[in-house]
Amino acid sequence: MSQRNLEALDVGAIREAFPILQREFNGEQLVYLDNAATTQTPDPVIDAMSDYYREYNANVHRGIHHLSQEASIAYEEAHDRVAEFIGASGGREEIVFTKNTTEAENLVAYAWGLNELGPGDEIVLTEMEHHASLVTWQQIGKRTGAEVKYIRIDDDGRLDMDHAADLITDDTAMVSAVHVSNTLGTVNPVSDLVDIAHDHDALAFIDGAQAVPNRPVDVEAIDADFYAFSGHKMAGPTGIGVLYGKKAVLEAMQPYLYGGDMITKVTYEESTWNDLPWKFEAGTPQIAEAVGLVAAIDYLEDIGMDRIEAHEQELARYAYEQLGAEPDVEIYGPEPGPDRGGLVGFNLEGVHAHDLASIMNDHAVAIRAGDHCTQPLHDKLGVAASARASFYVYNTTAEIDELAVAIDNARQLFA
Ligand SMILES: Cc1ncc(COP(=O)(O)O)c(C=O)c1O
């Protein structure tokens, strides 16, 4: 990735759109490097949600008054916009709004897994799954008798695709894999995994929580049956996530939540289900959040997803070089390159990751420390916790320099 690409992205102007980045703590300017957990929100998203509440707040699908009509149109069209953003040619019928990625995983696990799985079936995950997928399928396995298996990772933090080819068989009913690991930064070859799954008539679920915010994603090129992500990791609001599902697969599934809006006809004895995607969106949905998500997509596409990807890869490479130069810093995951996303998980020898994060916080540098919802992966790495710096469109190499200084402070303190 060339420096030219980095310069092409006007980070100074971008930062001005994010009011929170102006905050200072103890006289020091905030350095926000916890973007894999939640990204910050630009003015256009805040304004769009504020406009919604000021101008056309109403419940959707139920009213014939002006406000409800305007809210309904905005809410329904938000599905179309998301479909366009991720290349889902089936449009709104293939886009279900959920609370977050976790709920999207649970929706499929409950609505499909509980009904379709049984003893003799296998669910194949990867060793780098987030708990959102790992715990969910583990529990569905326990309830249905299906066995859960894990594709190994190699010493570089990449998936062992030979093992994947062995593990996925005609007994496999579901392959659920993370697109970009939130701990290792690995970008997995998800379309290859989906191909293997389909060769054995298994369905494939891809967790795109760390992919959609940071790179162009085309769900039809990947060919996944399901694909999920969260608004709050892509400059959008909390409280909204997306489940993409192929129309035929969603149509064959039972609803997950029951109640208002997801029905067509109800009697005291029976109910019939609404069309897609409303069949999976029971009750009053996230209307303001859907409006905010559209504004976030517009904002990101305006910058260009390929440029965002290039910017983050450059930052990851820079961080890798700055941090990795010291022998007492261990960085997890593959070396910088096309199969590494914009985050760096690491440990400083002799300093617990929580202490490290706390020292950084004293200097207004926000990183994450802990197991990042990948406890089994940390067990495999032989550590209880790791520190993670994760980047977004508004981060700079100067901020990574501050990260390196903060690490040096911790080094001195614990020496
Ligand atoms: C890879 C991955 N999957 C799933 C999730 C869960 O996202 P959410 O908390 O928005 O449901 C996260 C969040 O950190 C993640 O990084």
Side-chain angles (χ1 to χ4, degrees):
M1 217 53 62
S2 72
Q3 188 67 20
R4 194 174 50 81
N5 275 334
L6 244 187
E7 283 169 4
L9 207 150
D10 187 351
V11 178
I14 287 170
R15 288 180 73 84
E16 281 173 23
F18 290 81
I20 208 168
L21 297 179
Q22 306 307 319
R23 286 205 64 185
E24 294 185 356
F25 297 91
N26 303 324
E28 295 196 62
Q29 172 94 39
L30 170 67
V31 174
Y32 188 78
L33 302 176
D34 193 17
N35 295 288
T38 289
T39 51
Q40 296 304 342
T41 320
D43 282 328
V45 174
I46 298 169
D47 292 347
M49 293 178 75
S50 166
D51 282 353
Y52 165 77
Y53 282 117
R54 286 173 190 280
E55 300 287 340
Y56 56 105
N57 176 35
N59 213 322
V60 291
H61 297 158
R62 293 175 200 170
I64 47 171
H65 56 79
H66 289 302
L67 293 184
S68 179
Q69 283 174 22
E70 285 181 20
S72 298
I73 289 169
Y75 182 70
E76 290 173 10
E77 287 184 350
H79 293 71
D80 302 330
R81 182 71 180 99
V82 171
E84 184 192 17
F85 180 55
I86 59 169
S89 61
R92 65 177 65 173
E93 289 175 304
E94 297 189 315
I95 303 297
V96 178
F97 286 159
T98 60
K99 191 170 64 177
N100 48 33
T101 305
T102 305
E103 194 183 61
E105 294 268 7
N106 276 269
L107 191 162
V108 174
Y110 278 79
W112 177 85
L114 280 187
N115 287 308
E116 301 294 332
L117 295 173
D121 288 327
E122 294 180 355
I123 304 164
V124 173
L125 310 179
T126 77
E127 285 183 338
M128 61 174 96
E129 288 314 292
H130 188 279
H131 293 169
S133 134
L134 196 155
V135 177
T136 305
W137 289 112
Q138 192 181 61
Q139 292 309 307
I140 295 299
K142 287 186 195 305
R143 285 174 65 169
T144 60
E147 191 181 347
V148 180
K149 296 185 164 181
Y150 297 92
I151 303 168
R152 275 195 303 263
I153 56 169
D154 65 20
D155 291 343
D156 296 329
R158 293 189 175 90
L159 281 185
D160 178 342
M161 291 302 283
D162 291 336
H163 189 227
D166 287 345
L167 208 61
I168 299 169
T169 68
D170 289 347
D171 291 332
T172 309
M174 169 61 78
V175 175
S176 183
V178 67
H179 192 163
V180 179
S181 162
N182 65 311
T183 302
L184 302 170
T186 318
V187 182
N188 287 319
V190 283
S191 57
D192 295 345
L193 274 179
V194 171
D195 284 349
I196 302 174
H198 288 168
D199 285 347
H200 295 280
D201 291 331
L203 293 180
F205 187 122
I206 303 300
D207 168 353
Q210 299 295 345
V212 169
N214 311 312
R215 56 191 52 242
V217 168
D218 180 336
V219 289
E220 290 187 357
I222 295 170
D223 200 25
D225 301 284
F226 302 104
Y227 194 101
F229 54 100
S230 298
H232 68 97
K233 294 183 194 289
M234 49 184 288
T238 55
I240 188 162
V242 174
L243 172 68
Y244 156 81
K246 284 183 181 168
K247 187 176 169 196
V249 181
L250 289 178
E251 265 173 349
M253 272 163 56
Q254 288 299 306
Y256 166 52
L257 295 172
Y258 298 99
D261 252 19
M262 50 76 65
I263 47 77
T264 304
K265 173 78 183 148
V266 180
T267 68
Y268 284 119
E269 291 76 31
E270 288 299 335
S271 303
T272 55
W273 312 138
N274 203 342
D275 295 335
L276 291 175
W278 324 122
K279 173 174 112 175
F280 292 107
E281 295 186 358
T284 301
Q286 309 87 317
I287 309 163
E289 290 77 9
V291 167
L293 182 61
V294 168
I297 290 172
D298 289 345
Y299 179 81
L300 295 177
E301 279 205 328
D302 235 29
I303 296 172
M305 294 310 298
D306 45 356
R307 291 166 77 212
I308 294 174
E309 180 186 12
H311 178 67
E312 286 194 32
Q313 282 190 346
E314 188 61 36
L315 291 175
R317 177 185 301 280
Y318 187 77
Y320 198 93
E321 284 163 9
Q322 296 302 305
L323 275 52
E326 302 293 342
D328 58 354
V329 175
E330 182 176 11
I331 299 181
Y332 306 107
E335 293 202 345
D339 67 348
R340 182 175 188 113
L343 63 92
V344 178
F346 63 98
N347 264 307
L348 175 63
E349 199 181 304
V351 185
H352 192 282
H354 284 143
D355 293 331
L356 190 59
S358 167
I359 293 165
M360 293 202 180
N361 188 45
D362 291 343
H363 297 280
V365 178
I367 62 158
R368 184 141 295 239
D371 59 44
H372 318 304
C373 295
T374 55
Q375 282 182 16
L377 176 60
H378 277 78
D379 288 345
K380 191 179 163 85
L381 294 172
V383 291
S386 60
R388 181 183 70 190
S390 52
F391 314 116
Y392 209 40
V393 62
Y394 36 68
N395 288 125
T396 64
T397 50
E399 290 182 305
I400 295 170
D401 291 338
E402 295 200 37
L403 173 72
V405 169
I407 292 176
D408 210 37
N409 288 336
R411 193 178 276 123
Q412 312 298 336
L413 255 171
F414 281 83

